[in-house]
Structure formats: C-alpha cells, structure tokens
Amino acid sequence: METVILTDPPRPARATVEAFSTIGVATVGEAMGRTGSCGSDLRPIQQGVRVAGTAVTVMSWPGDNLMIHAAIEQCGPGDILVVTTRSPSEHGMFGELFATGLQQRGVVGAIIDGGVRDTQELRDMGFPVWARHVNVMGTVKNTPGAINVPIVVGGQVIDAGDIIVADDDGLVVVPREGADDALAASRARLAKEEATRQSFLGGELGLDRYGMRPVLERLGVTYRRHPLAAAEES
C-alpha cells in the first residue's frame, strides 16, 4: 500500500452536494439504477439525520488511527470523513475528540468502516456517524496509510471528492463526475414518488398504478372467496 497524503482533490459544486442532503438515500440509489449502496452493515449511531458531503478518504491500518489525525488537516466545510482499514478491524478508532476537531472545520459527518466509540457524546454534540461496529477498544498511532486515494467500503469504490449521501437507511456513493446527472435523476424520482403518494392518498392501489394485475394473472395467481366467508353467507 502506498503511503501518501493527496491534497486538494477536486470536488463537485457545493450547491450540487447540498441539494443531495434533501433527498433520501433510497431515492438516490433507485435513481442511479440501484447502484452506489454500501450495504446494510454500516449503521447510523443516531436517528433522524440526513447529510450529504464530499468524501475525504482514509486508508488506515487495523487498530491504528494515525491517518485519521493526518486526515483532519485535509478536511473542510461540507466534507465527510470516510475511513476504512487495510483488513477488517473492530477497534474503536473514532470518537468525540476527533469529531470536535472535524466539526470545527465544517465537516458534516463521518463514515467509519470499523469501530466507533463515545456514541452518546457524538449524539449530544450533533455530529453524525455511520459505523460498522461500536467498540470501546482503542487504537495506537504507529502505522502509515494513505489519504484521498480510492478506497472500498461496503463493496463500493469511493474516491476523494465523491458525494456521500447518508441517512437512517444507510449510505450511497454518488461518483463526483456523474453528480449532476445523478441529481437530475434523483429529482425526477422525487417527483414520481410524490405523484404516486398523491395517487395512494386518493385511494388508488399499487396493483393498478403499477399495472401488476396482468402480472399476477400471467403467473397463475387466482382469486377465490375464502371458504368461511362463503359458509357464513349460506
């Protein structure tokens, strides 16, 4: 693994990033063709929070958070710190003191593909974190790694400057170069969902709106009155 800190990675327009913070992770993922999800194992330590930010990526050694200390210098307003380790690690490598430093720099959240601790303090200070583990076991600061290089989290390649959208459902990665197209598709998906919502509020069934009755018929699904209902009528 190359030990390097890449500075000043390209970032998409701030307005584009902020626009994603109003759109749910599920909607963005669907709009991108059901891509970008980092899976179900990275969970929020809080509820009711949705953020979008540009990734500052960190490759650390298991049980070592030296590179997180180095990464804070590379973070700025609107960023999200995204940390993974060379091999799986459950150590609590991120906590309230790191979050304090990041919050002072305008960072909107952190993704820790490993362990996090001080979860109550993180909630109290309003700094959102998504993590794979919660663990009090601390780390050392001895091993070099890399910052702002491509990393893999939950099967997704994340490069510096990619947009991370995160909420109660998890997180999705929007590649930096396709951010504007993904935003347009997400807004179109929102409009479609709102039209469907109004339809359901008006009493229409999903079976009819989505044209699924012919599908049921084609699959051999039949309708028949329940025997007990027929017996009660006789």
Side-chain angles (χ1 to χ4, degrees):
M1 177 181 71
E2 185 180 14
T3 54
V4 63
I5 297 174
L6 299 180
T7 65
D8 305 309
R11 291 172 170 85
R14 185 73 177 272
T16 300
V17 179
E18 291 178 350
F20 276 105
S21 67
T22 65
I23 307 174
V25 165
T27 297
V28 175
E30 291 284 349
M32 294 195 304
R34 298 182 181 178
T35 63
S37 170
C38 289
S40 60
D41 293 334
L42 286 157
R43 304 298 303 153
I45 66 164
Q46 67 285 311
Q47 292 291 301
V49 175
R50 176 176 296 147
V51 298
T54 43
V56 171
T57 63
V58 181
M59 173 63 76
S60 288
W61 203 259
D64 194 307
N65 66 4
L66 172 65
M67 298 311 292
I68 298 180
H69 284 277
I72 291 177
E73 184 181 25
Q74 305 305 318
C75 293
D79 284 337
I80 290 183
L81 183 72
V82 186
V83 181
T84 191
T85 52
R86 184 68 171 170
S87 60
S89 173
E90 296 185 9
H91 291 77
M93 63 194 307
F94 184 93
E96 175 257 339
L97 293 179
F98 272 141
T100 299
L102 290 170
Q103 199 170 57
Q104 288 299 110
R105 299 180 73 85
V107 174
V108 299
I111 311 298
I112 310 298
D113 189 12
V116 64
R117 59 185 187 176
D118 303 333
T119 55
Q120 185 61 60
E121 288 82 357
L122 291 168
R123 287 189 289 270
D124 289 345
M125 66 188 291
F127 188 84
V129 176
W130 286 254
R132 192 173 297 277
H133 307 286
V134 174
N135 194 343
V136 299
M137 180 63 70
T139 59
V140 297
K141 301 163 180 62
N142 293 327
T143 316
I147 295 170
N148 284 332
V149 300
I151 60 175
V152 178
V153 175
Q156 294 295 324
V157 176
I158 304 175
D159 202 357
D162 287 346
I163 299 173
I164 308 294
V165 186
D167 62 17
D168 290 352
D169 292 337
L171 54 128
V172 68
V173 181
V174 180
R176 175 180 56 83
E177 293 184 351
D180 289 332
D181 289 341
L183 179 58
S186 296
R187 285 172 166 164
R189 176 83 188 186
L190 275 179
K192 179 181 177 181
E193 290 174 353
E194 178 58 24
T196 300
R197 183 178 300 109
Q198 294 303 317
S199 159
F200 288 169
L201 287 171
E204 186 177 16
L205 297 174
L207 281 174
D208 298 313
R209 183 167 185 82
Y210 299 132
M212 292 187 291
R213 293 190 188 277
V215 176
L216 291 175
E217 183 178 359
R218 176 171 55 82
L219 294 174
V221 179
T222 61
Y223 286 82
R224 191 167 59 239
R225 280 185 66 78
H226 194 285
L228 292 180
E232 288 175 358
E233 292 176 354
S234 60

